[in-house]
Amino acid sequence: MFKNYIKIAFRSLLKNRVFSFINITGLALGISASLLIMQYVNYELSYEDFNENASNVYRIKTNRYNQGELSTEWASGVVSIGHLLNEAYPEVQRYARLTSTSGVISKGDIEFMERSIYFANQDAFKIFGTQITDGDTENALTEPNTIAISESVAKKYFGDTNPIGETLMYNRDRPVQVTAVFKDVPDNSHFKFDILASWSTVAQGDFAADANRVWYWDGYFNYIELAEGTTPEAFQVKIDEFVESQWGEEMRNVDTWMDFELQPMADIHLYSNFIGEAEVNGDGDSVYALLVISFFIVLIAWVNYINLATAKSMERAREVGLRKVLGSQKGQLIRQFLTESFLVNLFAVILAFLIVALVLPGFANLTDQPMSMALFAQQGFWFGLGVLFFVGTFLSGLYPAFVLSSFKPIDTLKGAKLTSGGGGLLRKGLVIFQFMASVGLIIGTYTVYEQISFMRNQELGVDIDRTMVINGPSVTDSTYSEKLTAFTEVMKTDANVENVVVSTGVPGRGVGWNAGGIRKEGAPDSEGKQYRVLGLGYEFVETFDMEVIAGRSFNKEYGDEEAKILFSRAATKDFGFANPEEALGERIFFWGQVYTIIGVLEDYHHTSLKENFDKLIFRLIPNANNFYSIKYNAANTQQVVQMAQEKWGQFFPGNPFEYFFLEDRFEEQYEADKQFGSVFTIFSGLTIFVACLGLFGLAAFMTSKRIKEIGVRKVLGASIPSILKLLSTDFLKLIMVSIVLAIPIAFYGMEQWLNGFAFRIDLYWYIFALPALLVLFIAIATVSFQTARAAKANPVDSLRYE
């Protein structure tokens, strides 16, 4: 019997080649797109899966307040909190405390600039699930001047020899001993490091004691592992009580409050974007938005099958009637039609597999994920493929099977006209659903495009064009200031170089220097506030074309400039000045010193337009060694780079020459949004393509059912446009209904997404009108292609008796 089912199913598919092609192609596209998106989503959700302890590990986020108002949220917060909680509460099984550094690591002639170095305590290995493959597993990070290195770093410096016990040089003047080698940190970790140096290397003398008790040192990562059975909610209460008992009175005296928030380690990658993050994290909302698209695109493909199968049910009525007369039971008929669905889905899955294999490398490059053909060796891939196959077989085949098997043989064999009111309503409902999804996704795509374009093209308030930035030297000596001056002067002698300025930070990354307790001279400690601080060299303001809205910027012609300070407009407002001019001449207490405000700068976008204007204070640091910004003539970029590299080696020998172009670095902030927009656009386009594929098939079938009506109308004088209008009206009504229903849903969704941006577009009418018109045009073109053929056909052919 099963063999017979297969044979009949093949005959049916071959007899209806066009509809079989539409169904198989639509399902294959839907399944392949769904598989690719689910692979992307699965990877984003897999962060920390390699870590067996991750479910019990929490990062301690620090929130700081100015006079009761939340001012800063730190991923890398207070230095002492992890240590103190570990001492105070048995619920804390272990803790990790880390702070980042960088430097030149060398072994003889082998020398590299290493930027993923962290000082850490021994428990960091267990907290992060890092496996030590060689060396001391229990005490690798207990002694000063000891380090653990990754397998990649070991290979880089030692080749195939055993590095345990060997010595490396840090910044050429500090020997450090290798005590352990660990496996490379997986890509799906929110915290990546290549070298861990012992905490005792940096925490010595008074610093070591202070690091275990003070509450006002930021910039340190703290992780704790809670004992089994301890809920984060219950322990959060204990943390609040601890802060009150430990530092409450001291913080109230200076009116600067803080609290701590537990972040589950597994949630950090998708739901954390705070000051001092170790890595650029993902976006949970975007990930789940793509998951919704994957659901819609495969669902629309199944809907196509249901629509076409039920529409063609009238053609197969006599077949069903004859089978029933010859003794077929309803169950046998259902199995017959489910077999057809099985074959369609099987061919679609095979085609989808080939599509995935073909486009996977390009998709991996687009999403910047380490996906490869190894995907096909994963159990999850085959499980997902199997689920889509079996669910698709039954979901898309069950309803048509019941419809087809329910016809009464007496009616079908007498030639009575069979109708299925329920089936007609279902088809209309499914068409509306398909195009609701299509319209909504295109509106979403257009909104994402408009928002990204808005952010990229908005005036920043600072000139970042034609700017090459060199990472400052890690190894310096007492002659650094003289070398800096000489390097600057030599570079400026080149006609292609406009200026060279130094700073502690540059646009494109958050300002890492946060300073608290800043207040007017003579004001009580309780009036102190926190601000982000940027150290500038002379002419930085002029070089970057920053607008001075009151007073002046730093100038060598004035004396004692290092006792002067600049504010941004947002900082003056937060400080309580009625206007920028009122701030001029005010004396500010800043970490034990008093500075005079000499100028106010207009707010500018130091980071992306996702963030609001930061409250910035600018100090003069003429010998800063973090960044050297070189303004140059864009026509001779390569010449400037070559000259800079040559002079760098001359004045700062032994320091790696690392540079970037500021405009490119600023654009990197939008990479995740551009990537999301590209993926969203591709799969939204696939969704409407699959929807139109189904509409094409449905229009072809419905047109064929009215072919004699069209012939009669043409004989009676109907024009081709009138026939086109007649056949298209029903479909266009459904499309209009789908547009009306999709717009409010899309508006709500996009409004929620845009609320995540400090600077955003408004949802103007054209953002909804253009996608709606596009879908309407595509639908009209799809339907008209079929109806035009019928309308132009010779009526003699359609009216000739069989």
Side-chain angles (χ1 to χ4, degrees), residues 13 15-23 696-697 700 786:
L13 293 178
K15 179 183 176 182
N16 302 283
R17 289 182 178 84
V18 173
F19 295 101
S20 299
F21 173 80
I22 289 173
N23 280 327
F696 179 86
Q786 282 296 335

Side-chain angles (χ1 to χ4, degrees), residues 318-337:
R318 286 194 179 92
E319 175 192 342
V320 171
L322 188 58
R323 285 177 176 273
K324 284 191 172 183
V325 168
L326 294 176
S328 291
Q329 301 297 314
K330 184 173 183 178
Q332 292 174 316
L333 291 169
I334 290 174
R335 286 192 290 273
Q336 170 65 60
F337 296 124

Side-chain angles (χ1 to χ4, degrees), residues 63-72 215 250-259 516-520 523-531 571-577 615:
N63 300 322
R64 289 191 175 273
Y65 299 81
N66 279 341
Q67 300 173 4
E69 181 181 349
L70 180 64
S71 61
T72 52
W215 59 271
E250 185 178 355
M251 287 191 289
R252 276 190 289 273
N253 288 338
V254 296
D255 199 19
T256 298
W257 192 260
M258 69 175 182
D259 60 30
I518 299 175
R519 59 188 186 274
K520 291 182 180 180
D525 291 348
S526 60
E527 292 186 11
K529 291 187 175 184
Q530 296 182 71
Y531 296 94
T572 59
K573 183 177 180 180
D574 183 76
F575 215 78
F577 296 115
K615 299 181 281 286

Side-chain angles (χ1 to χ4, degrees), residues 184-195:
D184 290 354
V185 178
D187 289 323
N188 58 339
S189 171
H190 80 283
F191 199 109
K192 300 177 180 66
F193 45 84
D194 294 325
I195 299 174

Side-chain angles (χ1 to χ4, degrees), residues 674-707:
K674 289 189 288 185
Q675 183 185 90
F676 171 68
S678 298
V679 175
F680 201 95
T681 301
I682 290 170
F683 289 107
S684 295
L686 272 177
T687 301
I688 193 168
F689 176 77
V690 172
C692 287
L693 201 62
L695 185 63
F696 179 86
L698 196 58
F701 176 75
M702 300 308 290
T703 300
S704 69
K705 295 295 291 181
R706 302 179 69 174
I707 194 70

Side-chain angles (χ1 to χ4, degrees), residues 235 272 466 492 618:
F235 195 71
S272 186
R466 301 175 295 104
K492 289 166 68 174
F618 307 89

Side-chain angles (χ1 to χ4, degrees), residues 1-15 316 319 323 335-336 339-340 343:
M1 185 62 72
F2 180 72
K3 182 179 179 181
N4 183 63
Y5 290 157
I6 295 292
K7 184 187 296 184
I8 299 301
F10 265 111
R11 287 177 181 173
S12 178
L13 293 178
L14 291 173
K15 179 183 176 182
R316 304 190 68 176
E319 175 192 342
R323 285 177 176 273
R335 286 192 290 273
Q336 170 65 60
T339 301
E340 293 183 18
L343 284 179

